[in-house]
Amino acid sequence: MVVAKYSEAESNLKTLEEFGCCVLHEVDVHTMKEHPSLGKKLFDRIVFNFTHAGYNYSEHDDRQIWLNRKLVKGFFDGAKDMLTAEGEIHITHKTAYPFSMWKTVELAEKADLR
């Protein structure tokens, strides 16, 4: 899906894989610890680019904000157990309203991430 949507994706993904990165798509953040391709691996970096729970409601709707917060919380809860001792989690998303209402930093702190 990402290759069809973004013209540079295929080249970028190939470069990441050449550097030894594990690149996966369509992984459920709530069950990613059990993903068969991940096993019991630990990572130095886990990246979730452009997090979004899908378009169920308007971006400004409290229900949509709640769905996106639930997605990010699920990602933090799963990813934190998949990091090496010095590992890092990286998330990219928009920061203007209403995206600021996701309170990503607060969710990270609640997941005991620093």
Side-chain angles (χ1 to χ4, degrees), residues 5-67:
K5 191 169 183 178
Y6 301 103
S7 61
E8 300 291 323
E10 189 167 8
S11 171
N12 293 342
L13 294 172
K14 184 177 179 179
T15 300
L16 288 168
E17 289 170 347
E18 287 171 354
F19 279 107
C21 296
C22 175
V23 178
L24 299 174
H25 306 272
E26 298 184 31
V27 175
D28 185 333
V29 299
H30 302 288
T31 60
M32 66 185 180
K33 290 190 285 190
E34 290 86 34
H35 193 283
S37 295
L38 297 174
K40 300 291 181 192
K41 293 180 184 177
L42 296 177
F43 297 89
D44 296 318
R45 307 284 184 279
I46 301 176
V47 180
F48 192 171
N49 285 318
F50 309 110
T51 58
H52 201 281
Y55 295 97
N56 300 294
Y57 309 99
S58 161
E59 292 289 0
H60 297 81
D61 190 300
D62 287 342
R63 296 170 292 180
Q64 185 65 45
I65 291 168
W66 180 84
L67 288 171

Short mmCIF file of all heavy atoms in Angstrom, two decimals, residues 5-67:
data_model
loop_
_atom_site.label_atom_id
_atom_site.label_comp_id
_atom_site.label_asym_id
_atom_site.label_seq_id
_atom_site.Cartn_x
_atom_site.Cartn_y
_atom_site.Cartn_z
N LYS A 5 1.08 4.40 -2.81
CA LYS A 5 0.69 5.75 -2.41
C LYS A 5 1.82 6.77 -2.54
O LYS A 5 1.58 7.93 -2.83
CB LYS A 5 0.17 5.72 -0.97
CG LYS A 5 -0.50 6.98 -0.53
CD LYS A 5 -1.22 6.80 0.79
CE LYS A 5 -1.95 8.07 1.17
NZ LYS A 5 -2.68 7.94 2.40
N TYR A 6 3.06 6.34 -2.32
CA TYR A 6 4.20 7.26 -2.31
C TYR A 6 5.24 6.80 -3.33
O TYR A 6 5.79 5.70 -3.21
CB TYR A 6 4.82 7.33 -0.91
CG TYR A 6 3.84 7.78 0.13
CD1 TYR A 6 3.25 6.86 1.00
CD2 TYR A 6 3.48 9.12 0.25
CE1 TYR A 6 2.33 7.28 1.96
CE2 TYR A 6 2.57 9.54 1.20
CZ TYR A 6 2.00 8.61 2.04
OH TYR A 6 1.09 9.02 2.98
N SER A 7 5.56 7.65 -4.28
CA SER A 7 6.44 7.29 -5.39
C SER A 7 7.86 6.93 -4.95
O SER A 7 8.51 6.09 -5.57
CB SER A 7 6.48 8.42 -6.42
OG SER A 7 6.99 9.61 -5.84
N GLU A 8 8.37 7.53 -3.89
CA GLU A 8 9.73 7.27 -3.43
C GLU A 8 9.82 6.09 -2.45
O GLU A 8 10.91 5.69 -2.06
CB GLU A 8 10.30 8.51 -2.73
CG GLU A 8 10.38 9.74 -3.61
CD GLU A 8 11.43 9.59 -4.69
OE1 GLU A 8 12.49 9.00 -4.41
OE2 GLU A 8 11.18 10.06 -5.82
N ALA A 9 8.70 5.54 -2.08
CA ALA A 9 8.68 4.53 -1.02
C ALA A 9 9.51 3.30 -1.35
O ALA A 9 10.28 2.82 -0.50
CB ALA A 9 7.25 4.13 -0.70
N GLU A 10 9.39 2.79 -2.54
CA GLU A 10 10.09 1.54 -2.87
C GLU A 10 11.61 1.71 -2.72
O GLU A 10 12.28 0.86 -2.12
CB GLU A 10 9.73 1.09 -4.28
CG GLU A 10 10.25 -0.29 -4.60
CD GLU A 10 9.63 -0.87 -5.86
OE1 GLU A 10 8.91 -0.16 -6.57
OE2 GLU A 10 9.89 -2.06 -6.10
N SER A 11 12.14 2.79 -3.22
CA SER A 11 13.58 3.06 -3.10
C SER A 11 13.99 3.23 -1.64
O SER A 11 15.01 2.69 -1.19
CB SER A 11 13.94 4.31 -3.90
OG SER A 11 15.25 4.70 -3.65
N ASN A 12 13.19 3.98 -0.89
CA ASN A 12 13.50 4.21 0.53
C ASN A 12 13.45 2.91 1.33
O ASN A 12 14.31 2.66 2.18
CB ASN A 12 12.53 5.23 1.13
CG ASN A 12 12.72 6.60 0.54
OD1 ASN A 12 13.75 6.91 -0.05
ND2 ASN A 12 11.71 7.45 0.69
N LEU A 13 12.44 2.09 1.07
CA LEU A 13 12.32 0.82 1.78
C LEU A 13 13.48 -0.11 1.45
O LEU A 13 14.03 -0.77 2.34
CB LEU A 13 10.99 0.15 1.45
CG LEU A 13 9.74 0.89 1.94
CD1 LEU A 13 8.49 0.24 1.38
CD2 LEU A 13 9.69 0.95 3.45
N LYS A 14 13.88 -0.14 0.19
CA LYS A 14 15.02 -0.97 -0.21
C LYS A 14 16.29 -0.51 0.50
O LYS A 14 17.07 -1.34 0.99
CB LYS A 14 15.20 -0.91 -1.73
CG LYS A 14 16.29 -1.81 -2.23
CD LYS A 14 16.40 -1.80 -3.73
CE LYS A 14 17.55 -2.71 -4.14
NZ LYS A 14 17.73 -2.78 -5.56
N THR A 15 16.50 0.80 0.59
CA THR A 15 17.68 1.33 1.28
C THR A 15 17.67 0.92 2.75
O THR A 15 18.70 0.49 3.29
CB THR A 15 17.74 2.86 1.15
OG1 THR A 15 17.83 3.20 -0.24
CG2 THR A 15 18.92 3.44 1.89
N LEU A 16 16.54 1.05 3.40
CA LEU A 16 16.44 0.65 4.81
C LEU A 16 16.79 -0.82 4.99
O LEU A 16 17.54 -1.20 5.89
CB LEU A 16 15.04 0.94 5.35
CG LEU A 16 14.69 2.40 5.58
CD1 LEU A 16 13.20 2.56 5.84
CD2 LEU A 16 15.50 2.97 6.73
N GLU A 17 16.26 -1.66 4.12
CA GLU A 17 16.52 -3.09 4.22
C GLU A 17 17.99 -3.41 3.95
O GLU A 17 18.57 -4.29 4.58
CB GLU A 17 15.59 -3.85 3.28
CG GLU A 17 14.16 -3.83 3.79
CD GLU A 17 13.13 -4.34 2.79
OE1 GLU A 17 13.46 -4.51 1.60
OE2 GLU A 17 11.99 -4.58 3.22
N GLU A 18 18.63 -2.66 3.01
CA GLU A 18 20.06 -2.85 2.75
C GLU A 18 20.90 -2.51 3.97
O GLU A 18 21.97 -3.07 4.16
CB GLU A 18 20.49 -2.02 1.55
CG GLU A 18 19.98 -2.56 0.22
CD GLU A 18 20.22 -1.62 -0.95
OE1 GLU A 18 20.69 -0.47 -0.74
OE2 GLU A 18 19.92 -2.03 -2.09
N PHE A 19 20.41 -1.60 4.80
CA PHE A 19 21.10 -1.24 6.04
C PHE A 19 20.76 -2.17 7.19
O PHE A 19 21.17 -1.96 8.32
CB PHE A 19 20.78 0.21 6.44
CG PHE A 19 21.59 1.23 5.71
CD1 PHE A 19 21.01 2.01 4.73
CD2 PHE A 19 22.93 1.42 6.00
CE1 PHE A 19 21.74 2.96 4.04
CE2 PHE A 19 23.68 2.37 5.31
CZ PHE A 19 23.09 3.14 4.33
N GLY A 20 19.96 -3.20 6.92
CA GLY A 20 19.65 -4.19 7.93
C GLY A 20 18.40 -3.91 8.75
O GLY A 20 18.16 -4.58 9.76
N CYS A 21 17.63 -2.94 8.33
CA CYS A 21 16.40 -2.61 9.06
C CYS A 21 15.33 -3.67 8.81
O CYS A 21 15.24 -4.23 7.72
CB CYS A 21 15.86 -1.25 8.61
SG CYS A 21 16.94 0.12 9.00
N CYS A 22 14.54 -3.91 9.81
CA CYS A 22 13.37 -4.79 9.69
C CYS A 22 12.18 -3.88 9.37
O CYS A 22 11.76 -3.09 10.20
CB CYS A 22 13.14 -5.52 11.01
SG CYS A 22 11.65 -6.53 11.03
N VAL A 23 11.68 -3.99 8.14
CA VAL A 23 10.58 -3.12 7.70
C VAL A 23 9.32 -3.97 7.57
O VAL A 23 9.29 -4.94 6.82
CB VAL A 23 10.91 -2.46 6.34
CG1 VAL A 23 9.75 -1.61 5.87
CG2 VAL A 23 12.20 -1.65 6.44
N LEU A 24 8.30 -3.61 8.33
CA LEU A 24 7.03 -4.34 8.30
C LEU A 24 5.89 -3.36 8.06
O LEU A 24 5.97 -2.20 8.45
CB LEU A 24 6.80 -5.07 9.62
CG LEU A 24 7.83 -6.13 10.00
CD1 LEU A 24 7.55 -6.65 11.40
CD2 LEU A 24 7.83 -7.27 9.00
N HIS A 25 4.84 -3.86 7.45
CA HIS A 25 3.65 -3.05 7.18
C HIS A 25 2.42 -3.77 7.74
O HIS A 25 2.42 -4.99 7.89
CB HIS A 25 3.46 -2.85 5.68
CG HIS A 25 4.64 -2.28 4.99
ND1 HIS A 25 4.85 -0.94 4.88
CD2 HIS A 25 5.70 -2.87 4.40
CE1 HIS A 25 5.98 -0.72 4.25
NE2 HIS A 25 6.52 -1.88 3.95
N GLU A 26 1.39 -3.00 8.01
CA GLU A 26 0.10 -3.53 8.44
C GLU A 26 0.23 -4.43 9.68
O GLU A 26 -0.36 -5.50 9.75
CB GLU A 26 -0.58 -4.26 7.29
CG GLU A 26 -0.87 -3.32 6.12
CD GLU A 26 -1.64 -3.98 4.99
OE1 GLU A 26 -2.45 -4.89 5.27
OE2 GLU A 26 -1.44 -3.56 3.85
N VAL A 27 1.01 -3.98 10.64
CA VAL A 27 1.17 -4.70 11.90
C VAL A 27 0.21 -4.08 12.92
O VAL A 27 0.16 -2.87 13.07
CB VAL A 27 2.62 -4.59 12.41
CG1 VAL A 27 2.77 -5.22 13.78
CG2 VAL A 27 3.58 -5.22 11.41
N ASP A 28 -0.55 -4.91 13.59
CA ASP A 28 -1.48 -4.44 14.62
C ASP A 28 -0.67 -4.07 15.86
O ASP A 28 -0.03 -4.93 16.47
CB ASP A 28 -2.49 -5.54 14.95
CG ASP A 28 -3.56 -5.10 15.93
OD1 ASP A 28 -3.32 -4.19 16.75
OD2 ASP A 28 -4.65 -5.68 15.89
N VAL A 29 -0.70 -2.79 16.23
CA VAL A 29 0.10 -2.34 17.37
C VAL A 29 -0.29 -3.03 18.67
O VAL A 29 0.52 -3.15 19.57
CB VAL A 29 0.03 -0.80 17.56
CG1 VAL A 29 0.56 -0.09 16.34
CG2 VAL A 29 -1.35 -0.32 17.91
N HIS A 30 -1.52 -3.48 18.76
CA HIS A 30 -2.00 -4.10 20.00
C HIS A 30 -1.49 -5.53 20.18
O HIS A 30 -1.50 -6.06 21.29
CB HIS A 30 -3.52 -4.05 20.06
CG HIS A 30 -4.07 -2.66 19.97
ND1 HIS A 30 -3.97 -1.76 21.01
CD2 HIS A 30 -4.68 -2.00 18.96
CE1 HIS A 30 -4.51 -0.61 20.65
NE2 HIS A 30 -4.93 -0.73 19.41
N THR A 31 -1.05 -6.15 19.08
CA THR A 31 -0.58 -7.53 19.15
C THR A 31 0.81 -7.70 18.53
O THR A 31 1.22 -8.83 18.26
CB THR A 31 -1.58 -8.48 18.44
OG1 THR A 31 -1.70 -8.09 17.06
CG2 THR A 31 -2.93 -8.48 19.12
N MET A 32 1.53 -6.62 18.31
CA MET A 32 2.79 -6.71 17.58
C MET A 32 3.84 -7.55 18.30
O MET A 32 4.71 -8.13 17.66
CB MET A 32 3.34 -5.33 17.23
CG MET A 32 3.75 -4.48 18.37
SD MET A 32 4.22 -2.87 17.69
CE MET A 32 4.67 -2.05 19.20
N LYS A 33 3.76 -7.66 19.62
CA LYS A 33 4.73 -8.49 20.36
C LYS A 33 4.63 -9.95 19.95
O LYS A 33 5.58 -10.70 20.08
CB LYS A 33 4.52 -8.35 21.86
CG LYS A 33 4.91 -7.01 22.41
CD LYS A 33 4.92 -6.98 23.92
CE LYS A 33 3.51 -6.94 24.46
NZ LYS A 33 3.44 -6.68 25.90
N GLU A 34 3.47 -10.37 19.45
CA GLU A 34 3.27 -11.76 19.02
C GLU A 34 3.42 -11.94 17.52
O GLU A 34 3.18 -13.03 17.00
CB GLU A 34 1.87 -12.24 19.45
CG GLU A 34 1.72 -12.43 20.95
CD GLU A 34 1.33 -11.14 21.67
OE1 GLU A 34 0.59 -10.33 21.09
OE2 GLU A 34 1.80 -10.92 22.80
N HIS A 35 3.80 -10.90 16.79
CA HIS A 35 3.92 -10.98 15.33
C HIS A 35 4.97 -12.04 14.97
O HIS A 35 6.08 -12.02 15.51
CB HIS A 35 4.31 -9.62 14.76
CG HIS A 35 4.15 -9.52 13.29
ND1 HIS A 35 5.06 -10.08 12.42
CD2 HIS A 35 3.20 -8.94 12.53
CE1 HIS A 35 4.67 -9.85 11.18
NE2 HIS A 35 3.56 -9.15 11.22
N PRO A 36 4.65 -12.96 14.05
CA PRO A 36 5.58 -14.05 13.73
C PRO A 36 6.93 -13.59 13.16
O PRO A 36 7.94 -14.26 13.36
CB PRO A 36 4.82 -14.89 12.70
CG PRO A 36 3.72 -14.03 12.21
CD PRO A 36 3.41 -13.05 13.30
N SER A 37 6.98 -12.44 12.50
CA SER A 37 8.24 -11.95 11.95
C SER A 37 9.11 -11.27 13.01
O SER A 37 10.28 -11.00 12.77
CB SER A 37 7.98 -10.94 10.83
OG SER A 37 7.36 -11.58 9.75
N LEU A 38 8.54 -10.99 14.15
CA LEU A 38 9.29 -10.29 15.19
C LEU A 38 9.82 -11.22 16.27
O LEU A 38 10.86 -10.95 16.86
CB LEU A 38 8.41 -9.20 15.83
CG LEU A 38 7.98 -8.11 14.87
CD1 LEU A 38 7.00 -7.17 15.55
CD2 LEU A 38 9.17 -7.35 14.34
N GLY A 39 9.10 -12.30 16.51
CA GLY A 39 9.54 -13.25 17.52
C GLY A 39 9.87 -12.54 18.82
O GLY A 39 9.11 -11.71 19.31
N LYS A 40 11.01 -12.85 19.37
CA LYS A 40 11.45 -12.23 20.62
C LYS A 40 12.59 -11.24 20.36
O LYS A 40 13.41 -10.99 21.22
CB LYS A 40 11.92 -13.32 21.61
CG LYS A 40 10.85 -14.31 21.98
CD LYS A 40 9.79 -13.66 22.82
CE LYS A 40 8.74 -14.68 23.22
NZ LYS A 40 7.58 -14.08 23.79
N LYS A 41 12.61 -10.65 19.17
CA LYS A 41 13.67 -9.71 18.81
C LYS A 41 13.57 -8.44 19.65
O LYS A 41 12.49 -8.02 20.04
CB LYS A 41 13.57 -9.32 17.34
CG LYS A 41 13.85 -10.43 16.38
CD LYS A 41 13.73 -9.94 14.95
CE LYS A 41 13.91 -11.06 13.97
NZ LYS A 41 13.73 -10.61 12.60
N LEU A 42 14.72 -7.84 19.90
CA LEU A 42 14.79 -6.53 20.54
C LEU A 42 15.40 -5.55 19.54
O LEU A 42 16.27 -5.92 18.76
CB LEU A 42 15.62 -6.58 21.81
CG LEU A 42 15.07 -7.46 22.93
CD1 LEU A 42 16.04 -7.48 24.11
CD2 LEU A 42 13.69 -7.00 23.36
N PHE A 43 14.94 -4.31 19.60
CA PHE A 43 15.34 -3.31 18.61
C PHE A 43 15.98 -2.10 19.25
O PHE A 43 15.62 -1.70 20.36
CB PHE A 43 14.10 -2.87 17.81
CG PHE A 43 13.49 -3.98 17.02
CD1 PHE A 43 12.51 -4.79 17.58
CD2 PHE A 43 13.90 -4.24 15.72
CE1 PHE A 43 11.94 -5.82 16.86
CE2 PHE A 43 13.34 -5.27 14.99
CZ PHE A 43 12.36 -6.07 15.55
N ASP A 44 16.92 -1.52 18.52
CA ASP A 44 17.52 -0.25 18.93
C ASP A 44 16.57 0.91 18.67
O ASP A 44 16.55 1.88 19.42
CB ASP A 44 18.82 0.01 18.15
CG ASP A 44 19.88 -1.03 18.45
OD1 ASP A 44 20.03 -1.40 19.63
OD2 ASP A 44 20.55 -1.47 17.50
N ARG A 45 15.81 0.81 17.60
CA ARG A 45 14.85 1.86 17.22
C ARG A 45 13.58 1.20 16.71
O ARG A 45 13.65 0.23 15.94
CB ARG A 45 15.37 2.75 16.10
CG ARG A 45 16.72 3.37 16.30
CD ARG A 45 16.67 4.54 17.29
NE ARG A 45 17.96 5.19 17.41
CZ ARG A 45 18.96 4.76 18.16
NH1 ARG A 45 18.82 3.65 18.86
NH2 ARG A 45 20.08 5.43 18.24
N ILE A 46 12.46 1.73 17.12
CA ILE A 46 11.17 1.34 16.55
C ILE A 46 10.50 2.62 16.09
O ILE A 46 10.34 3.56 16.88
CB ILE A 46 10.28 0.59 17.56
CG1 ILE A 46 10.99 -0.68 18.05
CG2 ILE A 46 8.93 0.25 16.93
CD1 ILE A 46 10.24 -1.44 19.12
N VAL A 47 10.14 2.66 14.81
CA VAL A 47 9.60 3.88 14.21
C VAL A 47 8.18 3.62 13.72
O VAL A 47 7.91 2.62 13.06
CB VAL A 47 10.48 4.34 13.02
CG1 VAL A 47 9.92 5.60 12.39
CG2 VAL A 47 11.92 4.54 13.47
N PHE A 48 7.28 4.53 14.05
CA PHE A 48 5.90 4.48 13.57
C PHE A 48 5.65 5.82 12.90
O PHE A 48 5.43 6.83 13.56
CB PHE A 48 4.96 4.26 14.74
CG PHE A 48 3.54 3.90 14.38
CD1 PHE A 48 2.66 3.51 15.38
CD2 PHE A 48 3.05 3.96 13.10
CE1 PHE A 48 1.34 3.18 15.11
CE2 PHE A 48 1.73 3.63 12.79
CZ PHE A 48 0.89 3.23 13.82
N ASN A 49 5.68 5.81 11.57
CA ASN A 49 5.49 7.06 10.83
C ASN A 49 4.02 7.33 10.55
O ASN A 49 3.29 6.44 10.11
CB ASN A 49 6.25 7.00 9.50
CG ASN A 49 7.73 7.15 9.69
OD1 ASN A 49 8.17 7.99 10.46
ND2 ASN A 49 8.50 6.35 8.99
N PHE A 50 3.64 8.55 10.81
CA PHE A 50 2.31 9.05 10.47
C PHE A 50 1.20 8.17 11.02
O PHE A 50 0.38 7.63 10.29
CB PHE A 50 2.19 9.26 8.95
CG PHE A 50 3.33 10.07 8.42
CD1 PHE A 50 4.30 9.51 7.63
CD2 PHE A 50 3.45 11.41 8.78
CE1 PHE A 50 5.38 10.26 7.18
CE2 PHE A 50 4.52 12.17 8.33
CZ PHE A 50 5.48 11.59 7.53
N THR A 51 1.23 8.05 12.33
CA THR A 51 0.22 7.26 13.03
C THR A 51 -1.17 7.81 12.74
O THR A 51 -1.37 9.02 12.70
CB THR A 51 0.45 7.30 14.54
OG1 THR A 51 0.43 8.66 14.97
CG2 THR A 51 1.77 6.68 14.92
N HIS A 52 -2.13 6.95 12.55
CA HIS A 52 -3.53 7.37 12.37
C HIS A 52 -4.41 6.14 12.44
O HIS A 52 -4.09 5.10 11.88
CB HIS A 52 -3.72 8.07 11.03
CG HIS A 52 -4.94 8.92 11.00
ND1 HIS A 52 -6.20 8.39 10.82
CD2 HIS A 52 -5.11 10.24 11.17
CE1 HIS A 52 -7.09 9.38 10.86
NE2 HIS A 52 -6.44 10.51 11.07
N ALA A 53 -5.53 6.26 13.12
CA ALA A 53 -6.45 5.14 13.32
C ALA A 53 -7.46 4.97 12.19
O ALA A 53 -8.35 4.15 12.28
CB ALA A 53 -7.19 5.32 14.64
N GLY A 54 -7.33 5.75 11.12
CA GLY A 54 -8.29 5.70 10.02
C GLY A 54 -9.30 6.82 10.16
O GLY A 54 -9.36 7.51 11.17
N TYR A 55 -10.07 6.99 9.13
CA TYR A 55 -11.03 8.11 9.10
C TYR A 55 -12.43 7.62 9.41
O TYR A 55 -13.22 7.33 8.53
CB TYR A 55 -10.98 8.79 7.73
CG TYR A 55 -9.65 9.45 7.49
CD1 TYR A 55 -8.65 8.80 6.76
CD2 TYR A 55 -9.37 10.70 8.01
CE1 TYR A 55 -7.42 9.40 6.55
CE2 TYR A 55 -8.14 11.30 7.82
CZ TYR A 55 -7.17 10.65 7.08
OH TYR A 55 -5.96 11.24 6.88
N ASN A 56 -12.72 7.52 10.69
CA ASN A 56 -14.05 7.10 11.13
C ASN A 56 -14.95 8.30 11.39
O ASN A 56 -16.15 8.23 11.20
CB ASN A 56 -13.92 6.27 12.41
CG ASN A 56 -13.09 5.02 12.17
OD1 ASN A 56 -13.49 4.15 11.43
ND2 ASN A 56 -11.92 4.97 12.77
N TYR A 57 -14.37 9.39 11.83
CA TYR A 57 -15.09 10.63 12.15
C TYR A 57 -14.24 11.79 11.66
O TYR A 57 -13.10 11.62 11.22
CB TYR A 57 -15.31 10.75 13.66
CG TYR A 57 -15.93 9.53 14.28
CD1 TYR A 57 -15.15 8.58 14.94
CD2 TYR A 57 -17.31 9.32 14.21
CE1 TYR A 57 -15.73 7.45 15.51
CE2 TYR A 57 -17.88 8.19 14.78
CZ TYR A 57 -17.09 7.26 15.42
OH TYR A 57 -17.66 6.15 15.97
N SER A 58 -14.75 12.99 11.82
CA SER A 58 -13.97 14.18 11.51
C SER A 58 -12.74 14.21 12.42
O SER A 58 -12.80 13.76 13.57
CB SER A 58 -14.83 15.43 11.76
OG SER A 58 -14.03 16.58 11.91
N GLU A 59 -11.62 14.75 11.92
CA GLU A 59 -10.40 14.83 12.73
C GLU A 59 -10.63 15.57 14.05
O GLU A 59 -9.95 15.31 15.03
CB GLU A 59 -9.29 15.56 11.95
CG GLU A 59 -8.78 14.79 10.78
CD GLU A 59 -7.94 13.58 11.14
OE1 GLU A 59 -7.73 13.28 12.32
OE2 GLU A 59 -7.51 12.91 10.20
N HIS A 60 -11.58 16.51 14.06
CA HIS A 60 -11.84 17.33 15.25
C HIS A 60 -12.80 16.66 16.24
O HIS A 60 -12.97 17.13 17.35
CB HIS A 60 -12.42 18.68 14.83
CG HIS A 60 -11.47 19.48 14.00
ND1 HIS A 60 -11.30 19.26 12.65
CD2 HIS A 60 -10.63 20.47 14.34
CE1 HIS A 60 -10.39 20.10 12.18
NE2 HIS A 60 -9.96 20.84 13.19
N ASP A 61 -13.41 15.58 15.81
CA ASP A 61 -14.39 14.88 16.64
C ASP A 61 -13.68 14.17 17.79
O ASP A 61 -12.67 13.50 17.60
CB ASP A 61 -15.13 13.85 15.77
CG ASP A 61 -16.32 13.24 16.45
OD1 ASP A 61 -16.15 12.61 17.52
OD2 ASP A 61 -17.44 13.38 15.93
N ASP A 62 -14.22 14.30 18.99
CA ASP A 62 -13.62 13.68 20.18
C ASP A 62 -13.47 12.17 20.02
O ASP A 62 -12.52 11.57 20.54
CB ASP A 62 -14.44 13.99 21.43
CG ASP A 62 -14.29 15.42 21.89
OD1 ASP A 62 -13.32 16.09 21.48
OD2 ASP A 62 -15.14 15.88 22.68
N ARG A 63 -14.40 11.55 19.30
CA ARG A 63 -14.33 10.09 19.11
C ARG A 63 -13.12 9.72 18.24
O ARG A 63 -12.45 8.73 18.51
CB ARG A 63 -15.62 9.57 18.48
CG ARG A 63 -16.83 9.75 19.39
CD ARG A 63 -18.11 9.46 18.66
NE ARG A 63 -18.32 10.49 17.65
CZ ARG A 63 -19.36 10.52 16.82
NH1 ARG A 63 -20.28 9.59 16.88
NH2 ARG A 63 -19.47 11.50 15.94
N GLN A 64 -12.83 10.54 17.23
CA GLN A 64 -11.66 10.28 16.39
C GLN A 64 -10.37 10.51 17.16
O GLN A 64 -9.42 9.73 17.05
CB GLN A 64 -11.69 11.16 15.14
CG GLN A 64 -10.56 10.86 14.15
CD GLN A 64 -10.67 9.48 13.55
OE1 GLN A 64 -11.76 9.05 13.14
NE2 GLN A 64 -9.57 8.75 13.50
N ILE A 65 -10.35 11.55 17.95
CA ILE A 65 -9.18 11.82 18.79
C ILE A 65 -8.96 10.66 19.75
O ILE A 65 -7.84 10.19 19.93
CB ILE A 65 -9.35 13.16 19.53
CG1 ILE A 65 -9.29 14.32 18.53
CG2 ILE A 65 -8.30 13.33 20.63
CD1 ILE A 65 -9.73 15.66 19.07
N TRP A 66 -10.02 10.15 20.34
CA TRP A 66 -9.92 9.01 21.25
C TRP A 66 -9.36 7.78 20.51
O TRP A 66 -8.48 7.08 21.05
CB TRP A 66 -11.28 8.68 21.86
CG TRP A 66 -11.23 7.53 22.80
CD1 TRP A 66 -10.89 7.54 24.12
CD2 TRP A 66 -11.53 6.15 22.49
NE1 TRP A 66 -10.94 6.27 24.65
CE2 TRP A 66 -11.34 5.40 23.67
CE3 TRP A 66 -11.94 5.50 21.34
CZ2 TRP A 66 -11.53 4.03 23.72
CZ3 TRP A 66 -12.13 4.12 21.39
CH2 TRP A 66 -11.93 3.41 22.58
N LEU A 67 -9.83 7.51 19.30
CA LEU A 67 -9.33 6.36 18.53
C LEU A 67 -7.83 6.49 18.25
O LEU A 67 -7.08 5.52 18.36
CB LEU A 67 -10.09 6.23 17.21
CG LEU A 67 -11.53 5.74 17.31
CD1 LEU A 67 -12.23 5.87 15.96
CD2 LEU A 67 -11.58 4.30 17.80
#
